[in-house]
Amino acid sequence: SGSGCAARPTAAWAVSESEPESDPQPRGPGSPAAEGLAARPRRRRAPGETATRRRERGKGREEDPEKRRRREEAAAWRLLRPERCLQLMEVCADPGLLEDPGSDTWMKVLSSSNCKYSFEPQVIPCSITWRRNMPCTLSTPDAPTVKTEEEKEVLVLVEPEDILKRLFSLSQPDLNLVLPLAGLEGSSTKTYSLIVVGLDAYRRGDASVAELQTLGAAWWLQITKSVLVVLQLWGNMEVLFLDTWQDFGQHVAALTKAIAKRPYKQQMESQELPFCTAGAWASGVRVEKDGTGLWEVWKRQIQQFSRVSPNTAAAIAEAYPSPCLLLQAYQKCSTEDEKRLLLSNIPVKSDIGGKARRVGPDLSRRIYLFMVSTDPDLVLDLS
């Protein structure tokens, strides 16, 4: 087998006798080919050298300021989405809340709700505030990495004994006597809420309060209502009475989530046609720039009438694909009765395959009145 292997290379390089032998080009040190190779030396690039050169070339080109601004706004908008906004919120509680016997209970509720909290001295004792820690998306090198925004909500915990003393000492309801806020800086820009935990249990267990209640339940109810009216109307304060510390923790967690979602909701409400957003919510319809999806919106608007099935709404929308076309059809009618019954004979397909039916005069009349009436108190459904 060794001789066979040696024979193959000889046969492969053998020159046929019928072919003229050509002088091979010299490849010595002084030959033209050798001089050409020497003139163009080939160098193998180091790994990563091409990417490094691209980065060096990119450093010389500055990014368009408008593109950078849009990119930073998009990054900030993604942080405010409902699935991520709670991560930015921090509950700031006054250390005085740790003195209450139920502090462990409501802190466990916050932890289970994935709400971050910390204890810092507040302007009002036993109060809770919120702040939003937004990662800074600005590309300037001197900008801070986190931007802190203080929210306007302030939750004040009032002891049952304290609130009762203030209530019983009032002959005329005075907000400053219930909660002195006049001297607080920036109190006009804050939204205050009062929370009282365990008031009923305290009223039943305290003997002095029980004696005061002998003056009559009507007197107690009257003075309580008077103070609540002053707090809610004049002071723009919500007063909430809770039974347990578990309820207190759940209220703080729910309020934290509501505050976290507020910027996203405000942004969505400020958009044109917010009911046509691209979100995957139950009643949403995606409307493209070319108008695709408007027919589906029109069909769902018809379906909002009472006792209107999807098949009935689709039949009307197929006959008149837009509200404008329906109004034009009303204008072509000569009499009022013809306008009221315009849609009554439109056939409606049945999913079951049973007897065919029509829209009917009642729904036709309701849609007509809705489209042309200018009376905001008009009742469409006579049933």
Side-chain angles (χ1 to χ4, degrees):
S1 59
S3 60
C5 294
R8 285 195 195 96
T10 305
W13 290 98
V15 179
S16 174
E17 295 179 356
S18 62
E19 295 178 359
E21 295 185 3
S22 58
D23 296 330
Q25 190 165 342
R27 295 183 178 272
S31 64
E35 292 178 358
L37 291 176
R40 298 189 301 273
R42 298 181 62 183
R43 183 178 61 87
R44 180 174 297 179
R45 294 177 179 175
E49 184 178 359
T50 305
T52 304
R53 287 188 175 183
R54 285 199 299 265
R55 286 195 296 267
E56 291 177 353
R57 289 196 302 266
K59 291 180 181 179
R61 298 194 302 267
E62 294 184 359
E63 185 180 4
D64 185 13
E66 182 65 20
K67 290 183 179 180
R68 183 173 67 250
R69 184 186 63 82
R70 290 198 299 264
R71 176 174 54 81
E72 293 170 354
E73 289 180 354
W77 172 248
R78 286 193 295 268
L79 293 175
L80 295 178
R81 296 187 65 85
E83 62 271 13
R84 302 183 61 181
C85 60
L86 190 60
Q87 304 174 4
L88 308 176
M89 296 302 303
E90 183 178 0
V91 182
C92 305
D94 188 78
L97 293 172
L98 294 174
E99 300 176 2
D100 294 305
S103 59
D104 294 338
T105 303
W106 66 264
M107 283 191 295
K108 289 181 181 178
V109 175
L110 287 182
S111 300
S112 62
S113 302
N114 297 326
C115 296
K116 301 177 183 178
Y117 62 89
S118 61
F119 289 93
E120 301 175 3
Q122 303 295 319
V123 178
I124 302 178
C126 296
S127 64
I128 292 177
T129 59
W130 287 263
R131 65 177 170 223
R132 192 185 307 270
N133 300 318
M134 288 286 297
C136 189
T137 57
L138 298 178
S139 56
T140 55
D142 298 334
T145 56
V146 177
K147 179 182 178 182
T148 301
E149 300 177 358
E150 297 290 338
E151 300 295 334
K152 64 179 181 178
E153 283 77 13
V154 179
L155 193 65
V156 183
L157 180 66
V158 183
E159 294 293 336
E161 180 182 3
D162 188 25
I163 193 68
L164 288 176
K165 287 181 179 179
R166 294 179 184 275
L167 289 177
F168 287 130
S169 63
L170 294 179
S171 57
Q172 293 292 332
D174 188 355
L175 179 65
N176 292 327
L177 294 178
V178 179
L179 183 64
L181 297 174
L184 293 180
E185 182 180 357
S187 59
S188 59
T189 61
K190 297 291 185 179
T191 302
Y192 294 92
S193 301
L194 302 183
I195 301 292
V196 183
V197 180
L199 178 61
D200 292 339
Y202 179 80
R203 286 169 54 190
R204 291 191 300 266
D206 190 90
S208 60
V209 176
E211 293 177 2
L212 290 173
Q213 291 180 4
T214 58
L215 296 175
W219 175 86
W220 163 260
L221 184 60
Q222 180 63 32
I223 193 171
T224 304
K225 284 185 176 180
S226 300
V227 174
L228 294 182
V229 168
V230 171
L231 289 172
Q232 292 178 359
L233 297 183
W234 186 70
N236 193 24
M237 292 185 188
E238 178 187 5
V239 183
L240 187 61
F241 297 95
L242 301 176
D243 294 331
T244 63
W245 291 103
Q246 180 83 11
D247 298 337
F248 176 74
Q250 293 175 354
H251 177 74
V252 174
L255 191 56
T256 303
K257 294 179 181 180
I259 296 173
K261 295 179 181 179
R262 181 168 54 199
Y264 181 81
K265 291 183 177 180
Q266 291 176 348
Q267 181 68 19
M268 297 299 299
E269 292 174 356
S270 64
Q271 295 179 357
E272 297 182 358
L273 301 179
F275 58 89
C276 296
T277 58
W281 54 294
S283 301
V285 176
R286 184 181 181 90
V287 178
E288 304 294 344
K289 293 183 179 180
D290 59 354
T292 304
L294 288 175
W295 183 87
E296 185 69 21
V297 174
W298 167 231
K299 186 191 76 171
R300 295 200 181 189
Q301 287 179 335
I302 300 174
Q303 194 174 341
Q304 291 178 358
F305 284 90
S306 178
R307 304 184 304 279
V308 176
S309 64
N311 290 342
T312 303
I316 298 174
E318 289 176 359
Y320 301 96
S322 70
C324 183
L325 294 177
L326 182 56
L327 287 175
Q328 293 176 2
Y330 285 138
Q331 294 174 357
K332 295 179 181 179
C333 296
S334 57
T335 63
E336 192 73 13
D337 291 340
E338 186 180 357
K339 295 178 182 179
R340 293 176 183 270
L341 300 177
L342 178 64
L343 307 178
S344 59
N345 291 325
I346 295 178
V348 178
K349 299 179 181 179
S350 177
D351 295 334
I352 306 177
K355 183 179 179 181
R357 54 190 180 89
R358 300 184 182 277
V359 172
D362 179 66
L363 179 58
S364 178
R365 177 192 61 82
R366 286 187 285 154
I367 294 179
Y368 166 69
L369 293 178
F370 174 78
M371 296 292 292
V372 301
S373 177
T374 58
D375 183 8
D377 299 324
L378 179 65
V379 179
L380 300 178
D381 196 347
L382 299 179
S383 61

